[in-house]
Amino acid sequence: MDRDLTPELEDWIENQSIFFVGTSPLTGKHINVSPKGLAGSLKRLKGNDRDVVLAHLPKSSSDKSGDKKEGEEEGVWNKELATFVYLDTGGSGVETVAHLRENGRITLMLCAFEGDPYILRLYGTGFHVEPSDPAFSHLTSLFESCAKASTIFTGKDNVSHAHKVRNYVVIRVYRIRKSCGYGVPLLELKGHRDTMPNYLMERSDETHKSKRMKKNDYSLDGLPGLRWVVPDKDKAGDEGGSGGSGGNKQDRGREEKDSGSCRYGTGVAVAAGGLLAYAAFGNPLGKDWPKLGLEVGAILAAGGLVALAGVGR
């Protein structure tokens, strides 16, 4: 059932202890679902806050938000019911960011684990905001001013480490759907972990930067992740792209392909040499020549087969 976003529903959304994010590439095998469980990390953007953030919409996302896709109901895709943002401290992967860079599609799901059963899905188009984007500082101040959200990046030292946040994700919601949730269990929240704020506190800016360069460059399907690691001009692993493990993996793939071609050529040449050697030495020029020609030819041919076998590795 489609729903409008009432003040009561907005409060319910922002007070949930966990929500789930779903994205996918246009092609490729990996559909991604991520749990988000930090108190205060999901907020609705309204009024001036919304205007400021959307005014600085990243250029690479401007062609994805609000475009009607084939098969969509008329007026649904372009209708913005609300704008939400969540704080993404980062992790070992970059699937959500990479999928948003490619196509902008995103769904948030929230479940009621106490009280009446309830499942809510927010369908929208999204984009991510990085530290170099103008809207980043505005969003950081917005979360820092919220007492509940500020605990996300305030460690045991009682100092805010918000500048170490990897990115924010902004979602322009065009459809809200409610379902029964009868199969969702009743769960009791014991509390939120303090692992993330202390993790941000204990590691330096350079440590976070180094990790993100290595782990947040490309998605599992090879899509570019963070823009400061893989800029728009270097999408899909174009030559000259910066980046960490994903880019290096693509370089290694090209090197292995070239190496395989080289081994193939070497194998063919050596095998051919073996046959020529047998033909040359195998003529009946003397009693021992056929035997010598056979032995030399067999050795060279065997070397050629070994080289050819290496191509498939």
Side-chain angles (χ1 to χ4, degrees):
M1 180 193 337
D2 282 2
R3 289 290 309 266
D4 291 326
L5 187 61
T6 62
E8 293 77 18
L9 188 56
E10 179 184 333
D11 289 341
W12 182 85
I13 291 172
E14 294 190 357
N15 285 318
Q16 294 310 298
S17 58
I18 186 172
F19 62 97
F20 301 88
V21 178
T23 58
S24 71
L26 295 177
T27 59
K29 297 187 296 185
H30 300 93
I31 297 173
N32 190 66
V33 180
S34 296
K36 305 293 180 182
L38 299 173
S41 61
L42 176 64
K43 296 178 65 65
R44 183 182 180 186
L45 289 174
K46 295 184 284 188
N48 182 65
D49 292 326
R50 174 192 174 278
D51 295 341
V52 168
V53 171
L54 295 187
H56 294 102
L57 187 73
K59 185 177 180 181
S60 61
S61 302
S62 60
D63 60 340
K64 303 182 184 74
S65 298
D67 292 340
K68 179 180 178 292
K69 300 295 187 277
E70 184 178 354
E72 285 285 346
E73 294 180 25
E74 194 66 39
V76 170
W77 188 269
N78 292 312
K79 180 173 64 174
E80 183 180 324
L81 298 178
T83 301
F84 281 86
V85 60
Y86 72 82
L87 181 154
D88 190 353
T89 52
S92 58
V94 72
E95 298 301 296
T96 300
V97 168
H99 296 162
L100 292 180
R101 284 187 67 178
E102 184 202 36
N103 58 67
R105 302 178 304 181
I106 187 168
T107 299
L108 303 187
M109 186 186 76
L110 304 97
C111 305
F113 293 106
E114 58 184 8
D116 296 333
Y118 206 83
I119 296 176
L120 196 70
R121 292 179 177 88
L122 309 178
Y123 299 92
T125 56
F127 61 92
H128 77 289
V129 178
E130 297 183 9
S132 60
D133 295 323
F136 188 89
S137 59
H138 185 83
L139 288 171
T140 298
S141 63
L142 186 66
F143 278 94
E144 281 185 311
S145 64
C146 173
K148 182 165 61 173
S150 65
T151 61
I152 297 171
F153 34 69
T154 302
K156 292 179 289 188
D157 56 359
N158 291 320
V159 175
S160 172
H161 297 274
H163 67 284
K164 297 179 182 178
V165 168
R166 187 183 70 179
N167 63 270
Y168 298 94
V169 173
V170 178
I171 305 104
R172 305 176 75 177
V173 177
Y174 64 83
R175 169 169 270 173
I176 301 174
R177 296 277 292 179
K178 172 188 178 296
S179 54
C180 65
Y182 292 166
V184 177
L186 291 170
L187 301 175
E188 182 179 353
L189 178 67
K190 294 183 66 175
H192 291 279
R193 303 177 192 270
D194 61 2
T195 310
M196 183 56 71
N198 291 327
Y199 174 83
L200 293 175
M201 175 195 70
E202 292 165 359
R203 287 159 178 80
S204 66
D205 293 357
E206 285 303 314
T207 300
H208 286 292
K209 182 178 180 180
S210 176
K211 176 184 176 181
R212 289 162 185 170
M213 287 188 68
K214 293 178 180 177
K215 296 183 177 293
N216 296 163
D217 50 1
Y218 288 93
S219 73
L220 294 173
D221 292 301
L223 295 173
L226 296 174
R227 281 192 306 275
W228 71 266
V229 179
V230 186
D232 286 331
K233 65 179 180 179
D234 299 321
K235 281 187 178 182
D238 292 341
E239 288 189 11
S242 59
S245 59
N248 293 334
K249 182 173 72 173
Q250 293 191 6
D251 292 338
R252 287 196 299 271
R254 286 193 289 269
E255 291 170 0
E256 289 173 1
K257 182 179 179 182
D258 294 340
S259 177
S261 299
C262 181
R263 289 196 300 267
Y264 181 81
T266 302
V268 170
V270 175
L275 294 175
L276 289 172
Y278 178 75
F281 293 114
N283 291 328
L285 299 177
K287 182 178 179 181
D288 295 329
W289 284 105
K291 182 179 179 182
L292 177 61
L294 180 62
E295 291 174 350
V296 173
I299 291 171
L300 291 175
L305 292 174
V306 171
L308 284 171
V311 175
R313 293 180 180 176

